[in-house]
Amino acid sequence: MERPPSVDRLARSLSDSGLPAPMLVEVARAAVETARSSGGDAATIATGLAHTRRRRLLTPVVNGTGVLLHTNLGRAPLAASVAPTATNLELDLETGERGSRQAGLADLVRAATGAERGLIVNNCAGAVLLVLAALAANRGVAVSRGELVEIGGGFRIPDVMRQSGARLVEVGTTNRTRLADYRAVIDDDLALIMKIHQSNYRIEGFTEAVPSADLAGQGVPLVVDLGSGLLDERCPWLDGPPPHWLRDEPGARQTLDRGADLVIFSGDKLLGGPQAGVIAGRADLVEACARHPLARALRPGVHVIAAFTETLLTLLDGRGTDLPFWRMATTGTDELARRAGAMVDELGGSIAVVDTAATPGGGTLPDVEIPSIGLLIRGDVRAALRAADHPVIARASGDDTIIDLRTVHPDDDELVVAALRTARAR
Ligand SMILES: *Cc1c(COP(=O)(O)O)cnc(C)c1O
């Protein structure tokens, strides 16, 4: 198709927008069209459109929200980068034959959780689907009515159950479920008992639930969807004790020790790694999952395997705070206050250092607050901070704005100062 010279000229004038030439032509054409139909200056429209398109591409931002695992910001921050090189992804370096992309990572999952075997898929939702399809198709799965959850993004347990071909066997009531309720539905057709962690909600008041330890050994395999993926309640990857706010969170290792046959969890929540789902536990059950055709459809790519390998090596080496998530989770408020003071000194003016409450986020630990320190800026300057060259995502506090320093990596303090300078200049 012939392009009018005006479109070509306009596209060329946008060449420093950071977009590739074919997109610039599309932007220029749309701008000329809009200017013709609705009026306005095509060049101005095109510049705005190119800017919007550029910022829609994946780009680094500073998380100043105080939400450690912010869903909109990709949950646990990326810690690893992958070198542009070939890998032994599916090559056994001993034999020279084709190997398994899962084998090395499975060794690390075993070391971290004590599981007999582990399997990695693309996310925890995929792991739940695979377990149900592989172990319970055309059979029953007992779940407490108090645990029929919806995770963010429309992942509803009853819907996943239907997709997998398993039959949901509801047990107990919304607020109270007892061991006898589970026992009453155990028969030859029941394939699994499934316990689902109440990740993002709490039921309070007149409640009763059965701990996973009591559901083990009922003659039916027990699968626990832990969601958040705390590997070990003792947090052996930290120098000090586990953070106080994790005290009620079940660990994968402890859940297996208490008798679960399988645990399922996310890689990018409390584990602090890339988006992934882990299935770990009894070797025969994990093997059945690995052999199911869905396992091929849900298998992770080399970037995920590389990042997950690095994450688990870091944790197993006892260097947990080298991971951005665990660093945020454990930094003392005195250190945050020191950084805040230095930033205010640099900026001067009306910015105040305030006590704040950060939250774990990511659909975990809904009623937990983590003491933190933030910068308080008068007025709502969130849009101006997002507009900075390196966007800073802040949160509103009444009519004002807070940048919570617990979720800001210390190396990014300069970026926050720069964004605040830009915002002030607007
Ligand atoms: C978060 C969560 C999931 C879904 O995990 P994704 O990694 O987002 O797919 C499933 N089950 C529970 C209990 C969760 O908390």
Side-chain angles (χ1 to χ4, degrees):
M1 192 166 68
E2 274 297 305
R3 253 174 239 153
S6 58
V7 168
D8 247 351
R9 214 177 315 118
L10 190 49
R12 267 199 309 274
S13 77
L14 298 169
S15 60
D16 59 0
S17 66
L19 289 179
M23 274 182 78
L24 291 180
V25 171
E26 190 197 316
V27 162
R29 193 173 278 137
V32 167
E33 191 54 44
T34 305
R36 190 180 302 135
S37 63
S38 323
D41 172 37
T44 310
I45 297 171
T47 305
L49 203 50
H51 183 69
T52 310
R53 288 285 172 85
R54 177 66 191 89
R55 285 166 59 93
R56 197 148 73 180
L57 302 179
L58 191 70
T59 193
V61 303
V62 174
N63 176 5
T65 63
V67 181
L68 275 60
L69 302 167
H70 199 297
T71 304
N72 299 0
L73 308 181
R75 290 195 190 150
L78 288 177
S81 58
V82 182
T85 171
T87 63
N88 62 340
L89 182 68
E90 290 198 353
L91 177 73
D92 183 330
L93 286 172
E94 300 311 311
T95 63
E97 306 284 319
R98 181 160 186 181
S100 151
R101 68 174 58 204
Q102 296 275 351
L105 204 43
D107 289 343
L108 297 177
V109 169
R110 250 193 344 261
T113 64
E116 273 176 27
R117 205 178 147 178
L119 180 72
I120 316 299
V121 294
N122 275 325
N123 53 39
C124 186
V128 172
L129 178 66
L130 177 57
V131 164
L132 292 172
L135 305 179
N138 303 313
R139 296 179 65 197
V141 178
V143 183
S144 163
R145 289 193 169 90
E147 298 173 3
L148 292 173
V149 302
E150 173 172 326
I151 313 294
F155 175 81
R156 299 176 137 195
I157 291 293
D159 296 341
V160 175
M161 194 80 71
R162 207 168 305 121
Q163 286 297 324
S164 73
R167 187 167 47 79
L168 174 61
V169 179
E170 296 184 20
V171 166
T173 63
T174 303
N175 58 328
R176 307 197 81 183
T177 302
R178 305 185 187 83
L179 184 55
D181 297 323
Y182 288 95
R183 284 204 169 130
V185 299
I186 293 177
D187 59 19
D188 289 345
D189 189 49
L190 195 78
L192 302 171
I193 294 175
M194 188 159 181
K195 188 161 173 69
I196 299 152
H197 186 42
Q198 293 178 346
S199 300
N200 52 8
Y201 69 107
R202 292 272 175 270
I203 297 180
E204 287 184 21
F206 188 56
T207 66
E208 188 171 345
V210 188
S212 54
D214 296 352
L215 292 174
Q218 298 295 325
V220 178
L222 170 64
V223 175
V224 181
D225 175 9
L226 290 167
S228 58
L230 179 64
L231 287 171
D232 188 321
E233 290 166 18
R234 298 162 305 169
C235 299
W237 49 87
L238 299 178
D239 285 334
H244 180 67
W245 47 272
L246 278 176
R247 67 190 176 283
D248 295 328
E249 191 63 16
R253 177 181 288 278
Q254 286 73 22
T255 305
L256 289 168
D257 282 348
R258 289 175 202 129
D261 296 282
L262 281 185
V263 290
I264 304 175
F265 52 89
S266 290
D268 55 348
K269 293 183 182 171
L270 298 178
L271 200 150
Q275 179 188 304
V278 180
I279 301 166
R282 247 172 66 187
D284 59 328
L285 300 179
V286 176
E287 178 63 29
C289 294
R291 275 198 315 261
H292 191 277
L294 262 182
R296 172 64 179 79
L298 296 171
R299 77 178 186 185
V302 66
H303 288 83
V304 168
I305 291 179
F308 210 153
T309 299
E310 211 171 304
T311 303
L312 287 175
L313 283 173
T314 304
L315 291 170
L316 287 164
D317 273 353
R319 294 181 290 112
T321 49
D322 285 357
L323 298 177
F325 168 74
W326 283 98
R327 179 187 189 118
M328 304 176 177
T330 54
T331 302
T333 47
D334 45 351
E335 170 62 13
L336 299 177
R338 190 193 59 71
R339 284 169 50 201
M343 291 161 85
V344 167
D345 284 349
E346 220 175 307
L347 285 157
S350 59
I351 293 174
V353 177
V354 291
D355 289 338
T356 60
T359 54
T364 67
L365 302 158
D367 41 21
V368 161
E369 291 190 339
I370 310 168
S372 186
I373 299 287
L375 302 178
L376 181 93
I377 305 107
R378 291 276 160 238
D380 185 352
V381 297
R382 286 176 300 163
L385 291 169
R386 280 201 309 277
D389 286 339
H390 195 114
V392 172
I393 314 303
R395 74 162 183 261
S397 171
D399 294 334
D400 299 324
T401 305
I402 284 183
I403 299 176
D404 194 309
L405 292 189
R406 180 169 293 287
T407 50
V408 176
H409 194 282
D411 293 349
D412 290 347
D413 286 358
E414 287 168 36
L415 296 172
V416 172
V417 169
L420 283 169
R421 285 214 172 101
T422 320
R424 191 180 276 171
R426 276 157 65 104

